[in-house]
Amino acid sequence: MTSATIRPASDYPPGGDAFRHRHLTGIAQLTPWEISYILDAAEQWVELNRAGAAKHDDALRGLTIINAFFENSTRTLLSFEIAGKRLGADVVNMHAAQSSVKKGETLIDTAMTLNAMRADAIVIRHQSSGAVQLIADKVDCPVLNAGDGRHEHPTQALLDALTIRRRLGRVEGLTIAICGDVLHSRVARSNILALTLLGNEVRVVAPPTLIPPAMERMHVRVFTDMDAGLDGADVVMMLRLQNERMDGAYLPSPREYHALYGLTPQRLAKAKPDAIVMHPGPMNRGVEIDSNVADDPARSTITEQVEMGVAVRMACLDILTRRTRKVPGWN
Ligand code: ASP
């Protein structure tokens, strides 16, 4: 029996024992109570971020955070940058387009260069699954995964869990349908891991060509019929068709995809009457989701997810730097 099965999610150990990891490379490493610990820590930052003009804390004053993004990003990069700055850190962004990677530098050499700059935390997005772990193994400071290939996007799953918990009052015992391009989605993978770990029924709803193999090993129910997959769901999480990761034709056409798997008001009616609609962004309106669903404030949590993203990333940066900041109880 693992510690995850004997300790309920709401009951985490005191001090530094609440989160023993040096890095945040994936949800796969976490226990339910470690996830809850981050979500609870994030709540205080939601309050701070809503506190009018004084959105600032100096917990990370004097620390340098490098955001090393080898793949494009709008909201995740901005969110990590705002999170670091709101905690008082110096934040530097490195875009791959301007970096030596384009000149042929290996990932390990890039890691050693970043390490020599003596950053206090490095946030990495990379197009290859496993690249973030490779860098984490080589550097002296905490590393946070901001998305690696099709593998994981842990802060997205954490912000999604926080959004669900705030909207529905809990993030356990729910039926959650994750719909769309699951095959190419690190968001889906991290969410499946987090939401099953927290004790929810997770369904995957997609055309057969966009369902990864061996899904049953991830303890999800697979549906190829959207109406059946949404039936009685508390949460409908839509995913973008990740065309940039497709190396062939997975679908006849976006129009046909929308006809069978697009979230319309009629289709949403299959879910519970108060079901919420989520999307990690960027959205393809009219493909996986209709505007009148995406823009319905009673159902859609899309802007709230962005807001929770800043708070969750503040919590992760704060928690992961506590040992180097020598916060009492964290050694
Ligand atoms: N922004 C998310 C990601 O980085 C989802 C997406 O790109 O569709 O994986």
Side-chain angles (χ1 to χ4, degrees):
M1 200 187 266
T2 66
S3 54
T5 52
I6 51 176
R7 190 180 279 277
S10 56
D11 174 23
Y12 30 79
D17 285 338
F19 198 86
R20 298 275 3 149
H21 308 276
R22 210 161 80 82
H23 307 291
L24 180 65
T25 51
I27 298 293
Q29 285 81 45
L30 305 183
T31 59
W33 45 267
E34 284 168 337
I35 295 175
S36 292
Y37 185 72
I38 296 173
L39 303 190
D40 289 351
E43 292 283 1
Q44 66 173 305
W45 305 123
V46 177
E47 295 313 315
L48 179 87
N49 291 336
R50 288 183 176 178
K55 300 182 194 60
H56 220 277
D57 189 275
D58 64 357
L60 269 59
R61 193 163 37 138
L63 266 55
T64 303
I65 298 169
I66 300 179
N67 290 326
F69 276 57
F70 299 88
E71 195 188 66
N72 285 341
S73 165
T74 311
R75 74 206 75 221
T76 307
L77 176 59
L78 208 55
S79 178
F80 267 112
E81 183 173 359
I82 291 171
K85 286 182 171 164
R86 291 219 174 128
L87 291 170
D90 298 319
V91 182
V92 188
N93 294 336
M94 189 202 88
H95 302 277
Q98 301 152 9
S99 77
S100 306
V101 176
K102 289 270 173 226
K103 300 177 189 165
E105 186 172 83
T106 68
L107 194 57
I108 302 295
D109 287 339
T110 306
M112 297 323 289
T113 305
L114 293 174
N115 199 41
M117 309 244 174
R118 301 208 171 274
D120 297 289
I122 305 177
V123 180
I124 301 169
R125 168 167 287 199
H126 200 281
Q127 59 277 10
S128 304
S129 306
V132 175
Q133 185 63 56
L134 200 73
I135 297 178
D137 292 341
K138 297 278 170 215
V139 300
D140 299 319
C141 67
V143 166
L144 291 86
N145 184 358
D148 63 328
R150 301 180 188 186
H151 177 227
E152 281 232 40
H153 193 353
T155 57
Q156 177 74 47
L158 293 166
L159 75 89
D160 287 338
L162 183 61
T163 305
I164 296 170
R165 198 174 78 168
R166 289 176 63 96
R167 268 287 183 113
L168 299 181
R170 67 190 204 280
V171 61
E172 59 179 351
L174 299 171
T175 300
I176 300 169
I178 302 180
C179 312
D181 185 0
V182 182
L183 181 65
H184 300 100
S185 178
R186 54 196 175 205
V187 173
R189 223 182 110 72
S190 289
N191 262 304
I192 290 169
L193 290 167
L195 295 168
T196 52
L197 206 55
L198 293 172
N200 300 281
E201 177 191 316
V202 179
R203 301 176 180 175
V204 155
V205 185
T209 49
L210 293 178
I211 297 172
M215 274 276 88
E216 64 285 353
R217 267 194 260 143
M218 294 191 82
H219 310 290
V220 298
R221 290 180 67 195
V222 176
F223 292 80
T224 52
D225 179 80
M226 181 98 169
D227 287 350
L230 295 194
D231 187 31
D234 299 284
V235 177
V236 180
M237 186 181 289
M238 301 307 299
L239 302 171
R240 184 175 67 89
L241 278 181
Q242 307 215 352
N243 291 309
E244 74 279 16
R245 295 192 201 286
M246 294 186 191
D247 51 4
Y250 286 81
L251 302 161
S253 72
R255 224 157 64 117
E256 210 159 317
Y257 180 77
H258 178 262
L260 291 173
Y261 294 99
L263 189 64
T264 58
Q266 296 73 22
R267 217 161 245 150
L268 181 57
K270 302 281 176 203
K272 292 223 178 107
D274 57 350
I276 57 170
V277 175
M278 309 184 78
H279 195 303
M283 269 187 283
N284 283 322
R285 289 171 182 266
V287 181
E288 73 268 7
I289 190 164
D290 277 14
S291 284
N292 43 16
V293 176
D295 300 334
D296 176 356
R299 312 299 293 275
S300 168
T301 65
I302 295 167
T303 51
E304 206 173 324
Q305 287 170 266
V306 177
E307 183 188 5
M308 293 309 124
V310 177
V312 156
R313 287 166 182 133
M314 289 171 82
C316 293
L317 289 169
D318 171 26
I319 291 168
L320 285 169
T321 55
R322 282 184 196 167
R323 291 197 168 81
T324 41
R325 287 189 285 124
K326 304 209 183 317
V327 169
W330 288 72
N331 41 39

